Amino acid sequence: MERVVGIDLGTTNSLVAVLDGAAPRVLPDPDTGARLLPSAVAFLPGDEVRVGAAARALAFERPFDTILSVKRFMGLGLEHVSEEDRRRYRFVEGSEGVVRFLVAGRQVTAPEVSAYVLRELKRWAEAALGEPVAKAVITVPAYFNDSQRQATKDAGRLAGLQVLRLVNEPTAASLAYGLNERPEGTIAVYDLGGGTFDVSILKLRGGVFEVLATNGDTRLGGDDLDARLADLLLAELPETLRSHPQIHAQVLALAERAKRALSEAARTQVELATPDGRRISRAITREEFETLVRDLVERTGHPCRQALKDAGLEPSDVDEVVAVGGSTRVPLVRRYMHELFGRPALAGVDPDEVVALGAGIQAGILTGGRRDMLLLDVIPLSLGIETMGGVFTRIIDRNVTIPVSHTEHFTTAVDNQTSVDVHVLQGERELAADNRSLARFSIPIEPLPAGVPRLECTFLIDANGILCVTASDLRSGRERTVEVKPSYGLTDEEIERMLEESFDHAEDDVQRRQLLEARVDANTILHATGTSLARHADRLDPGEGDRIRAAMDALAEARDGNDHIRIRELYDALSTVTEPFAQRIMDSALHDAMVDRSLEEL
Amino acid sequence: MMRVETRDRECWHCSRRTGLELVCLHCEAPQPLPAATDFFTVLGLPRRLGVDRQDLDDRYHSASRAIHPDRHQTAGERDRALSLAASAAVNRAYRTLRDPVARGRYWLELHGSPLGDRNNQVPAALAALVFETQEQLEALRSSGRAAAERQQVEGVRGELDERVRALTADLDARYAAWDAGDPRAPEVLAELKRRLSEIAYLTTLLDDVEETLAGREHT
């Protein structure tokens, strides 16, 4: 039988694993032997894309074009993107629905970015197995909503993978922990990943892993701990350097390294090498770090208590606690877990690999390799529809075992209505507007007097936690097609188009894209140069301002034309002319930094 | 194992004769659930009010092992669609039957006497308690959430909690007694309805109390 791989598509790192006999193993990069693929994708001009470590290395140089935590954006709209993220990346403004990044002059959606990561893992797996790989199990945070799950499935499809199952990360981890050797018991899985937090309470019996309740926070992870530490370091720098995207990216990487160091040692020294070769040094103690992040770590408490409550259990009912995700290496996190559940967490399986290994086992379960085990998972958030007056009417409660279905009956309110529109949402709040909109479904009906049509609508949540709506006309007994308009997702047509585009690059398509990219790059440099001129006019040499403005005018004129080569030439000309000016701004910012620093040391 | 009736039918997939199990005895293809299959039949249980929890859990696990979509992932499209529908039915049946209150309500529905979604009428036995609770909630609101009033309401919450627990715990004994006679008898259904109404009313009241204590009530 064809091999099915298990993929942990993580916020920070991704891995691929496969079941070999009864045990799973991680498949490494065929070139370097690395087991973790950084979930980073860098877009370069001319359609060049780099993935993994090569992309992450570009984050300093091309911070806007290098997407580091794309998982945070899966299934979201622009209105859900934080201020911090809006400073970090560029987005297509004013677009509705799914969020679109602007990278190296092109627009990409989160599923497209994730697809690059998946394609790279597919390549690793194919090299290791020596055969084509076309099917996968992909893990998602347990607390992901329908849109986020659908976006993950779309990413798989765009990468040429048939996604046989989306499996929840904490559940996958519990499979890998060899807990099935334990005949019976209750386990809590605490999963603090790079960008998301999940907690799941499971009951184990005779090889059946039954999730009793799950909870979490899809906007809380190790990245947030890094950001706190980075803020501390950035505060040492003057304003001019702080807002500099390249410096920001560099400080973030240093903060991440310091966090790791502080898991092993009580004190670490951070050395920041500035672009002009000078060094800034600062010591951080574990105590200082813990004070900085304590409130973030404690934010995991509420989801844990809620999950226990929903499962009808007390902390003392938990037999084992499993720690998943690199951030559970932080001693403060370990202590807090102990406090929450009254027992230390199990150690043994690498917290970075455990989810991928579990995905590998689930792939084996699906293909009959492990018939002794079965997963019964739940829907993490209640599902409902908008009813009169903007009220959220719950139709499927959270923590109900999936698959699950619910049937509703609808009729019409006005004569000759030709369709019934249903707005589906997910969340726990009373008002529709306070919950996350998933999709609008439109079901066509024959025009009849109000109240006469009888429509039966079935809402089915499959084993992936994804909703499917079917409808039938009870008067005629005929099935009705349901037209789905996802609120923050890609339509089938969009995916088809993206797939086609990735297959054939017709010559004029390439031309058109090159022109669009050149125009966007031109706009970027024009905007940046304009801002610098206004802000640092005092640093211009005599005549320099006029030369820069002339180059800007020439580029602006070319941008409005159709010759992308001409735009590129004038773009380069403008960069050359502004180079000394940019260098002076950078130098003076660094100088200020050193002055501040020495004053502080006095 | 799952057989409750002896009537045979033909498997849509291998055309051999198979029973009323969720999957074919021979080829393991998921079988369509007959229309109007009740929750007891789905899990192979006799139609009785009383349910042995261990037996129910065992049946749920073996039904899940047979029918869950994970077991039919590599099969054809029809297999997968049938497994999905049957698996949803198994989950729903288990969820309803494992909880004595939900099971009782389902029993009333099954016998043409549903409880209904809203019980606006205060059950006679609860009138005094309900009145007292409403008064104390009002006192808490008008006092601007003073500590003393808060303590009073917390006391009432404990009392309500205890009452619901006692009524629910009592259901199991009642079910056994009714099953010994005729659990479909009109007087049994009436008594069951009365008890379930009380529980439903108290549960709603308890929600109000929780909301008020948390300061989330909507006026």
Side-chain angles (χ1 to χ4, degrees):
Chain A
M1 177 169 311
E2 199 183 342
R3 299 283 278 255
V4 179
V5 295
I7 292 176
D8 172 7
L9 185 60
T11 307
T12 319
N13 293 302
S14 297
L15 298 89
V16 59
V18 74
L19 191 68
D20 248 346
R25 71 181 163 101
V26 169
L27 303 174
D29 179 344
D31 308 321
T32 66
R35 297 159 76 84
L36 301 180
L37 173 69
S39 307
V41 181
F43 295 85
L44 303 170
D47 268 353
E48 200 190 327
V49 177
R50 293 202 192 139
V51 183
R56 199 157 63 177
L58 281 169
F60 306 143
E61 207 179 303
R62 308 181 65 88
F64 292 134
D65 299 334
T66 307
I67 314 290
L68 288 181
S69 302
V70 68
K71 192 170 173 179
R72 280 182 183 254
F73 302 93
M74 296 290 266
L76 300 191
L78 195 57
E79 63 265 45
H80 309 124
V81 174
S82 70
E83 276 304 310
E84 164 77 24
D85 282 330
R86 296 189 71 141
R87 277 195 296 274
R88 211 161 139 193
Y89 299 112
R90 283 177 303 198
F91 299 96
V92 179
E93 298 291 338
S95 62
E96 274 187 23
V98 65
V99 55
R100 288 167 205 275
F101 295 93
L102 203 54
V103 283
R106 52 188 280 210
Q107 295 184 11
V108 286
T109 59
E112 288 171 276
V113 177
S114 294
Y116 283 105
V117 176
L118 292 173
R119 258 183 236 120
E120 180 67 2
L121 290 175
K122 181 173 185 272
R123 187 180 74 81
W124 288 15
E126 287 173 343
L129 300 171
E131 61 183 276
V133 169
K135 291 177 180 172
V137 166
I138 302 180
T139 62
V140 289
Y143 216 52
F144 254 19
N145 67 26
D146 179 275
S147 308
Q148 293 168 308
R149 287 166 194 269
Q150 189 63 57
T152 307
K153 218 177 158 191
D154 291 344
R157 197 165 146 202
L158 290 170
L161 290 167
Q162 189 193 340
V163 182
L164 293 189
R165 173 76 75 251
L166 295 176
V167 56
N168 291 332
E169 286 157 12
T171 323
S174 70
L175 287 180
Y177 239 89
L179 290 163
N180 56 315
E181 282 152 33
R182 191 192 169 93
E184 238 170 84
T186 302
I187 7 167
V189 184
Y190 180 105
D191 180 358
L192 188 60
T196 57
F197 171 68
D198 278 333
V199 55
S200 287
I201 311 293
L202 292 97
K203 190 177 80 182
L204 251 74
R205 194 160 70 91
V208 177
F209 289 64
E210 187 182 350
V211 179
L212 300 178
T214 195
N215 211 297
D217 186 339
T218 52
R219 308 289 290 173
L220 175 64
D223 285 2
D224 299 294
L225 307 188
D226 299 348
R228 283 281 171 86
L229 209 43
D231 286 346
L232 181 83
L233 297 172
L234 286 169
E236 308 267 311
L237 301 175
E239 187 70 35
T240 37
L241 273 189
R242 235 178 276 170
S243 55
H244 198 285
Q246 288 167 358
I247 303 251
H248 197 270
Q250 197 180 342
V251 169
L252 213 50
L254 283 173
E256 199 263 345
R257 221 176 301 154
K259 175 187 73 178
R260 283 171 183 271
L262 289 172
S263 291
E264 309 294 327
R267 188 176 186 282
T268 187
Q269 195 74 22
V270 179
E271 307 275 339
L272 173 58
T274 50
D276 64 344
R278 278 176 284 189
R279 305 185 87 82
I280 294 175
S281 182
R282 193 198 192 281
I284 302 167
T285 64
R286 186 186 284 171
E287 213 183 335
E288 192 179 2
F289 171 65
E290 291 185 349
T291 311
L292 269 181
V293 301
R294 188 174 309 274
D295 66 303
L296 290 173
V297 173
E298 287 177 357
R299 256 171 66 192
T300 64
H302 175 71
C304 291
R305 285 187 286 268
Q306 187 63 50
L308 280 169
K309 192 177 170 207
D310 286 354
L313 299 173
E314 297 291 328
S316 57
D317 296 322
V318 174
D319 299 310
E320 296 284 8
V321 181
V322 173
V324 184
S327 303
T328 57
R329 289 199 182 91
V330 173
L332 175 67
V333 174
R334 288 268 166 178
R335 288 205 306 277
Y336 191 59
M337 288 175 69
H338 193 151
E339 198 183 303
L340 281 172
F341 297 103
R343 60 174 56 246
L346 283 179
V349 185
D350 182 341
D352 283 326
E353 294 194 353
V354 65
V355 169
L357 294 171
I361 295 174
Q362 177 66 7
I365 292 174
L366 294 182
T367 48
R370 286 299 297 256
R371 292 202 70 107
D372 55 323
M373 295 163 103
L374 180 68
L375 270 189
L376 299 173
D377 222 313
V378 300
I379 174 176
L381 295 152
S382 302
L383 185 109
I385 53 178
E386 182 172 346
T387 50
M388 287 260 274
V391 171
F392 177 65
T393 301
R394 217 176 272 199
I395 57 176
I396 293 172
D397 288 334
R398 70 163 184 264
N399 289 325
V400 152
T401 309
I402 51 175
V404 58
S405 70
H406 175 88
T407 305
E408 278 285 310
H409 291 99
F410 295 107
T411 185
T412 52
V414 293
D415 289 345
N416 299 320
Q417 201 173 316
T418 54
S419 71
V420 168
D421 298 311
V422 185
H423 185 200
V424 184
L425 305 104
Q426 210 168 8
E428 311 305 327
R429 306 282 297 274
E430 308 266 327
L431 290 179
D434 294 333
N435 291 307
R436 186 58 62 87
S437 170
L438 296 184
R440 288 173 194 272
F441 296 91
S442 179
I443 307 155
I445 44 164
E446 289 159 52
L448 285 167
V452 174
R454 290 269 173 267
L455 208 56
E456 186 179 83
C457 201
T458 302
F459 299 83
L460 175 75
I461 311 266
D462 68 12
N464 302 310
I466 290 180
L467 172 69
C468 170
V469 176
T470 50
S472 61
D473 186 333
L474 288 181
R475 294 176 76 254
S476 66
R478 273 209 309 259
E479 287 279 317
R480 286 289 172 192
T481 51
V482 179
E483 209 179 291
V484 186
K485 191 178 173 291
S487 306
Y488 304 105
L490 302 171
T491 60
D492 272 351
E493 294 75 47
E494 280 177 291
I495 294 172
E496 286 303 329
R497 208 188 55 233
M498 286 171 181
L499 282 170
E500 267 171 39
E501 278 174 4
S502 63
F503 282 129
D504 52 59
H505 283 272
E507 183 63 22
D508 59 318
D509 250 14
V510 174
Q511 292 274 340
R512 205 172 51 228
R513 190 160 37 229
Q514 283 174 337
L515 177 61
L516 289 177
E517 282 171 12
R519 278 180 182 162
V520 173
D521 284 348
N523 281 334
T524 309
I525 194 174
L526 285 170
H527 180 255
T529 312
T531 313
S532 299
L533 279 180
R535 204 180 285 166
H536 305 286
D538 56 322
R539 303 201 196 286
L540 285 167
D541 283 349
E544 194 178 27
D546 289 340
R547 283 201 302 280
I548 292 175
R549 271 184 280 273
M552 286 174 74
D553 289 345
L555 176 59
E557 199 188 313
R559 175 203 55 197
D560 298 333
N562 287 322
D563 184 351
H564 71 91
I565 296 169
R566 174 100 186 118
I567 301 176
R568 290 285 171 210
E569 282 168 6
L570 291 166
Y571 177 100
D572 291 341
L574 178 59
S575 323
T576 313
V577 112
T578 54
E579 206 167 40
F581 176 50
Q583 191 58 48
R584 276 198 301 280
I585 297 176
M586 176 75 89
D587 284 350
S588 68
L590 287 173
H591 177 73
D592 293 349
M594 294 315 290
V595 170
D596 283 0
R597 171 111 202 120
S598 45
L599 281 177
E600 196 184 81
E601 281 164 353
L602 282 174
Chain B
M1 157 202 64
M2 315 294 297
R3 187 175 305 205
V4 283
E5 292 177 44
T6 47
R7 192 159 51 92
D8 275 5
R9 57 178 174 169
E10 197 173 88
C11 169
W12 65 271
H13 187 252
C14 69
S15 303
R16 277 181 282 183
R17 287 163 74 83
T18 183
L20 283 177
E21 286 76 8
L22 295 166
V23 296
C24 171
L25 294 170
H26 312 283
C27 71
E28 296 188 351
Q31 300 299 306
L33 284 175
T37 307
D38 69 69
F39 292 160
F40 294 95
T41 311
V42 167
L43 290 171
L45 284 163
R47 264 209 206 190
R48 288 161 62 94
L49 264 168
V51 162
D52 177 85
R53 182 63 195 262
Q54 187 64 53
D55 177 49
L56 179 72
D57 285 0
D58 289 346
R59 284 171 186 276
Y60 174 57
H61 278 188
S62 49
S64 296
R65 280 187 182 282
I67 202 70
H68 193 276
D70 282 5
R71 302 286 170 183
H72 304 276
Q73 189 59 52
T74 50
E77 204 179 321
R78 180 153 192 223
D79 294 71
R80 281 183 284 133
L82 286 171
S83 125
L84 195 55
S87 188
V90 164
N91 284 332
R92 183 136 182 250
Y94 175 64
R95 197 167 63 248
T96 307
L97 298 186
R98 74 176 169 191
D99 170 20
V101 175
R103 193 193 319 140
R105 293 181 75 130
Y106 178 64
W107 187 263
L108 290 177
E109 256 171 60
L110 212 51
H111 297 94
S113 179
L115 194 59
D117 279 340
R118 297 204 168 272
N119 305 79
N120 290 323
Q121 226 167 354
V122 183
L126 299 178
L129 180 62
V130 169
F131 182 69
E132 189 199 333
T133 308
Q134 297 291 14
E135 245 183 0
Q136 288 187 349
L137 285 181
E138 192 43 50
L140 177 63
R141 286 186 203 114
S142 55
S143 71
R145 339 201 128 266
E149 273 73 14
R150 198 181 165 83
Q151 213 167 10
Q152 289 268 328
V153 171
E154 273 164 7
V156 170
R157 174 173 60 181
E159 209 177 311
L160 289 173
D161 235 359
E162 196 39 57
R163 194 81 173 248
V164 171
R165 214 169 308 175
L167 278 168
T168 308
D170 183 47
L171 282 179
D172 282 327
R174 289 281 145 191
Y175 288 170
W178 288 333
D179 278 335
D182 177 9
R184 293 175 192 80
E187 62 275 17
V188 166
L189 295 181
E191 178 62 15
L192 176 60
K193 199 169 186 170
R194 196 184 62 74
R195 283 166 182 273
L196 292 177
S197 308
E198 283 184 19
I199 292 174
Y201 198 91
L202 287 175
T203 310
T204 312
L205 190 61
L206 207 48
D207 284 346
D208 282 354
V209 171
E210 297 279 4
E211 296 269 292
T212 309
L213 280 172
R216 274 184 282 121
E217 81 254 61
H218 26 262
T219 39

